[in-house]
């Protein structure tokens, strides 16, 4: 039988099929995060973050340089962002939870970009609706506990006075053919989409502009966002700035299986930060792809496959912080000792405990937005 494998695709706007991360490392020209670098991070943290230990963050660019600078006393700042086009789901949180850890460990500033322009240009949604999501998504970011004294929100259209003069300097050095080749754009793209990469490129050096000195930048991101910076990398030195360091994560799978990534375009496939305990329970029980066997008897006999089981993958991402416990679940599920229903119940409790706290902080965040805005 000929197996037809759905081709996988990874761009900042589409992730489809089974992602081959080894291939991406080669295609994008990034480096694997090796034990030597992990050891260096560990020198600054008591313990490595589970997402580092488990290789959820698995690749990087120029991290050695960034740590060398840090060891010399040259502190970096963090930069990451959010495209506000819908509700926040668990897939978004991975990068941000990790970014918050980095902020605490290295005691550094974070510039957080909300690309309302991007989502307006790329999605079939009105400007007003995107503004609504921008506000809504900020609540989730604040709820994760970033330090308000060291965290600065940039909203592309609201900080146009700071962003635009810099974005045109980037844009002038990127050709249309480069953008076309990197993203596979055809001539039907609107001209705002073609320009957009230059907006995402700016926060890498905006703090340098504001403080009038060079400061190293570290960008935690899911690997689909890398192409923007791959294009912009050549531009930074031409404008007198350093290239940023980047640390890349894999994608949190959608509920329905280990292909593609979680996305809020289909809320059945995603767990939203605003879901009630009952909604979480229903979604996981109904949709979470299971690596278990068809019947309990068969499962006891043959065991399940945690490597394709979505509930297990969520525990591995960050809902189970304890490595020993995670390993025990892995072993018990594989041997058939643990049933799919037990695994799912365990995950449901973990997610609901997390969301209960998150939703409380999300309410409080409504009063804090102003504290986080970059003053322009
Ligand atoms: N384009 C990203 C998105 O759609 C948002 C974003 C802006 C971002 N700047 C970033 C993500 C830097 C990671 C790093 O979600």
């Amino acid at each position: 039988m000929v197996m037809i494998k759905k081709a996988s695709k990874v761009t900042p706007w589409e992730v489809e099929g089974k992602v081959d991360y080894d291939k991406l490392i080669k295609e994008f020209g990034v480096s694997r995060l090796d034990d030597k670098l992990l050891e260096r991070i560990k020198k600054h943290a008591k313990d490595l973050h589970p997402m580092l230990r488990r290789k959820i963050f698995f690749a990087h660019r120029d991290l050695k340089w960034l740590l060398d600078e840090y060891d010399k006393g040259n502190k970096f700042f963090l930069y990451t962002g959010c495209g506000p086009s819908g509700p926040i789901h668990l897939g978004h949180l991975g990068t941000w939870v990790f970014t918050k850890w980095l902020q605490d460990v290295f005691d550094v500033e974070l510039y957080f970009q909300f690309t309302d322009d991007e989502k307006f240009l790329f999605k079939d949604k009105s400007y007003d609706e995107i503004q609504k999501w921008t506000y809504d998504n900020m609540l989730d970011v604040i709820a994760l506990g970033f330090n308000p004294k060291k965290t600065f929100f940039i909203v592309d259209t609201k900080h146009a006075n700071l962003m635009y003069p810099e974005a045109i300097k980037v844009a002038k050095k990127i050709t249309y053919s480069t953008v076309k080749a990197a993203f596979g754009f055809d001539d039907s793209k609107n001209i705002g989409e073609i320009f957009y990469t230059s907006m995402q490129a700016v926060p890498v050096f905006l703090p340098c502009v504001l403080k009038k000195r060079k400061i190293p930048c570290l960008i935690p991101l899911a690997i689909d966002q890398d192409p923007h910076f791959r294009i912009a990398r050549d531009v930074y030195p031409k404008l007198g700035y350093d290239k940023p360091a980047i640390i890349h994560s894999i994608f949190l799978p959608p509920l329905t299986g280990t292909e593609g990534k979680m996305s809020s375009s289909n809320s059945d496939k995603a767990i939203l930060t605003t879901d009630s305990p009952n909604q979480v329970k229903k979604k996981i029980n109904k949709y979470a792809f299971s690596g278990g066997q068809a019947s309990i008897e068969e499962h006891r006999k043959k065991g399940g496959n945690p490597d394709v089981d979505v509930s297990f993958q969520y525990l591995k991402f960050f809902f189970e912080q304890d490595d020993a416990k995670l390993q025990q679940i892995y072993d018990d599920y594989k041997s058939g000792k643990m049933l799919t229903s037990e695994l799912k119940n365990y995950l449901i409790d973990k997610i609901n405990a997390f969301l209960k706290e998150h939703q409380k902080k999300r309410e409080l965040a409504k009063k804090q937005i102003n504290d986080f805005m970059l003053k322009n």
Side-chain angles (χ1 to χ4, degrees), residues 196-245:
Y196 170 70
T197 291
S198 44
M199 290 295 286
Q200 187 154 331
V202 170
V204 165
F205 63 88
L206 189 65
C208 309
V209 175
L210 298 175
K211 297 183 185 186
K212 299 190 175 59
R213 62 183 171 91
K214 271 197 190 182
I215 315 168
C217 172
L218 171 61
I219 314 174
L221 47 67
I223 195 161
D224 58 336
Q225 295 295 320
D226 183 80
H228 288 300
F229 300 106
R230 195 166 74 236
I231 294 178
R233 284 178 86 65
D234 295 336
V235 176
Y236 297 119
K238 292 179 190 163
L239 299 178
Y241 305 109
D242 289 324
K243 297 175 180 181

Side-chain angles (χ1 to χ4, degrees), residues 75-237:
K75 264 197 187 185
F76 57 89
F77 68 92
L78 293 159
Y79 160 39
T80 193
C82 163
S85 66
I88 296 303
H89 53 68
L90 301 185
H92 292 110
L93 297 184
T95 310
W96 304 343
V97 165
F98 181 63
T99 301
K100 145 94 174 122
W101 181 82
L102 288 172
Q103 177 173 64
D104 292 345
V105 165
F106 291 97
D107 186 33
V108 289
E109 294 188 338
L110 163 65
Y111 286 76
F112 198 108
Q113 182 181 34
F114 291 87
T115 57
D116 58 339
D117 55 343
E118 174 189 16
K119 295 301 156 178
F120 172 71
L121 290 164
F122 281 86
K123 297 262 175 179
D124 189 15
K125 295 200 170 161
S126 73
Y127 183 79
D128 289 345
E129 185 176 358
I130 296 293
Q131 295 312 306
K132 195 187 97 208
W133 288 121
T134 304
Y135 169 81
D136 170 279
N137 291 182
M138 283 176 177
L139 302 180
D140 285 290
V141 175
I142 294 171
L144 293 176
F146 291 104
N147 179 347
K149 293 209 168 61
K150 294 196 171 194
T151 304
F152 306 96
F153 286 180
I154 302 166
V155 182
D156 286 350
T157 63
K158 303 295 168 287
H159 291 87
N161 60 331
L162 300 177
M163 294 294 292
Y164 191 65
E166 306 309 324
I168 56 172
K169 292 172 197 163
V170 176
K172 197 172 181 177
K173 302 216 178 298
I174 301 175
T175 66
Y176 180 29
S177 74
T178 298
V179 172
K180 261 180 153 171
F183 299 128
F185 284 178
D186 63 27
D187 288 351
S188 71
K189 283 291 174 191
N190 70 55
I191 60 176
E193 289 173 305
I194 298 159
F195 176 78
Y196 170 70
T197 291
S198 44
M199 290 295 286
Q200 187 154 331
V202 170
V204 165
F205 63 88
L206 189 65
C208 309
V209 175
L210 298 175
K211 297 183 185 186
K212 299 190 175 59
R213 62 183 171 91
K214 271 197 190 182
I215 315 168
C217 172
L218 171 61
I219 314 174
L221 47 67
I223 195 161
D224 58 336
Q225 295 295 320
D226 183 80
H228 288 300
F229 300 106
R230 195 166 74 236
I231 294 178
R233 284 178 86 65
D234 295 336
V235 176
Y236 297 119

Side-chain angles (χ1 to χ4, degrees), residues 282-296:
K282 271 200 195 138
K283 284 184 185 178
I284 291 183
N285 281 331
K286 186 162 175 198
Y287 298 109
F289 182 83
S290 159
Q293 305 293 346
S295 68
I296 293 185

